[in-house]
Amino acid sequence: MISKISNFEGVLSFDSKSQIDLIYLSAINISKSLHSKCNFINFTCYELHTKALNLLNRNGGFGDNLEKVNIYLQDNNIEKTNISVVDRDIEVEVKNNTLKSFIIKETKQLSFTIKDGNELDQVTLNDIDIVQFNGLYESPIGKLELTGCGVSQFTDYGERGYDDYFEDNKIGEVHLNSCITVKKISLEIPRPLKLFIEECKFDKPLLISSVYKDIHVTPTNLIIGDKNSGDILIEHINVNLNFSGTNFSNITVKGSGINALEFETFANHGKINFIDSKTALQEFIEANKNSNYLTAKDSILDQINFHFFDLNKFKHIQFINTNILGMQLFHYPVRLVNYSENLNILPSLDDERDFNINAKFTYNQFRLLAERNGDTDKSVEYRSLELNYLRRTKSNVADRMLLFLNEVSNWHGRNWLLGVGFTIIVGFISFASYQGSLRMFNFFDLNWPADYIRYIATYPKLQLPGYDTKANFLTDIARIFGIIFMGYGIFQTISAFRKYGKK
């Protein structure tokens, strides 16, 4: 059937009871829409201008040898295109079209060929058994969304994958929802985009990588959402990586640049491995002030291998309400963000007391992790940081004072030199007060250093011969102060010597 109509007001429709082998349309303006509900084998359309094109073969077919349906669209301007051919294999080819919304759904097997010159705002594929793309990056696509599809091929560049071929061809977003992989497939990305993966089952591995040998400066945003399973390999790509929901996948990030790493309301029941990956290069950090961070919020982190990934290369590291059950770490985080930095990072805690409570909990989690991994040194370090933030959360003055003294006297068991210094300083305060109470303190007296040494050497008595005849109430107060706090300093010094031998 061949139709050449210049203008058509209203709707042009092909009845569902019709059986047409070939529909050929050229140079048609239809004010509202073109509907085809008939059985057809070939549909070819040139220079169609209309609001909607609906090709809906709902009758399906019977048997195993049904002919493939071919649809060819060229030089068309259509606001909304809706294609559904039930129980049939179809081949769709588009060239030099302007298609704002392009939907293909409920077909058996789809071969989708994209030629150059198209403007595709949104391409949606729903409930298709097997999808194969040819020339995916031939034309820009604002958003590509696949829901309930089996995917056999994303990208096949053939001989045309040279460096400048994809310079002007971009895809804004790719969404994979409830999809499966029919075989091992690759999604090779030529230019940065947003990639969302959710509730997919990868019976065969999915490889996500860059087309080029050099990792791009501008990163791809990769969001791995809820309830994915199977194997995902992220390789040789510059990426902002976000994990959310519950993960059952085994995910490997290899040879990539990680500019931002986020865990948000995330629970890991699979395995995540970072191999030969690192944070952003310095020139990227300088050009992107809001990147280069690691954040985790309301998450349960387990079975994550950062063994060869130095987390301290991130500019900011922040954990909020997050349980750290299992990580392999060679480089433990040295410092989390402080309160003022926290206000500039999303997510954040606006209340300083809540921030301190959260920091105490986080350092406690890292202490327990270090103990489980047998890293005594890091366990001791995190214990001191945990107690430091515990002091900031206390409202009781006595508790705050005790934790403060513990901090300044040996940094919560980490530094015996602080204990020695603390003992010498409180001894000096006691001796100066001792002499002051007797009205005989003279710092410039050459005998003063020797007297000070003799004074602290008498501990715990703290009394020099010949001074006792002039002693008074203040003298006894100075001695008691020295006896208590020098004793505390000596105890803290001994405790710090045992930092590797205590739990």
Side-chain angles (χ1 to χ4, degrees), residues 163 210-217 236:
D163 281 358
S210 171
V211 169
Y212 305 118
K213 294 180 180 179
D214 294 329
I215 297 174
H216 298 302
V217 173
H236 196 76

Side-chain angles (χ1 to χ4, degrees), residues 45 124 128 137 161 198 201 259 262 273 293 346 471 480 482 484:
C45 186
T124 303
I128 301 173
Y137 295 104
E198 188 168 46
K201 183 180 180 182
N259 304 298
E262 299 179 71
N273 294 293
Y293 59 84
L346 294 176
I480 292 172
I484 293 174

Side-chain angles (χ1 to χ4, degrees), residues 437-449:
S437 69
L438 301 174
R439 301 181 182 276
M440 54 188 303
F441 177 79
N442 186 357
F443 186 78
F444 298 102
D445 187 345
L446 295 179
N447 293 324
W448 183 89

Side-chain angles (χ1 to χ4, degrees), residues 223-239:
I223 296 92
I224 298 180
D226 194 30
K227 298 178 183 177
N228 295 295
S229 63
D231 293 332
I232 301 174
L233 175 60
I234 303 163
E235 187 174 37
H236 196 76
I237 191 169
N238 208 32
V239 66

